Amino acid sequence: IKDGVEDVKRHQADHAINTRTTQRLDFYGKIEEIEWREIKVGDVLVVLTDEEIPADCVVLSCGGIQGPVGYVE
């Protein structure tokens, strides 16, 4: 029973994370809003201040008021 309860909680947590939204540049350079589960290898994501992103992303460029500075926690 304990394992079943843990599996249900893990499934609920995975669903909550996978349905978060982010922004992606499409083929034509337009920004579209998608869910995390729709992210594919090679997608270019637009990440705004204090926005969470999946851990397996590579930062290509950053910028802001302080210049090209990025902070990863």
Side-chain angles (χ1 to χ4, degrees), residues 8-70:
V8 168
K9 288 182 180 178
R10 188 175 316 113
H11 176 73
Q12 290 172 341
D14 288 347
H15 179 71
I17 289 173
N18 287 332
T19 56
R20 289 183 183 175
T21 58
T22 190
Q23 296 175 344
R24 169 178 67 188
L25 283 177
D26 69 6
F27 181 75
Y28 302 103
K30 294 183 180 179
I31 297 175
E32 60 182 347
E33 192 161 305
I34 61 167
E35 292 182 343
W36 279 11
R37 64 176 156 210
E38 299 175 40
I39 296 173
K40 306 242 183 311
V41 174
D43 283 348
V44 177
L45 304 178
V46 178
V47 181
L48 304 175
T49 303
D50 296 332
E51 183 178 345
E52 291 185 14
I53 59 170
D56 52 353
C57 290
V58 176
V59 177
L60 299 176
S61 178
C62 61
I65 296 172
Q66 298 175 347
V69 177

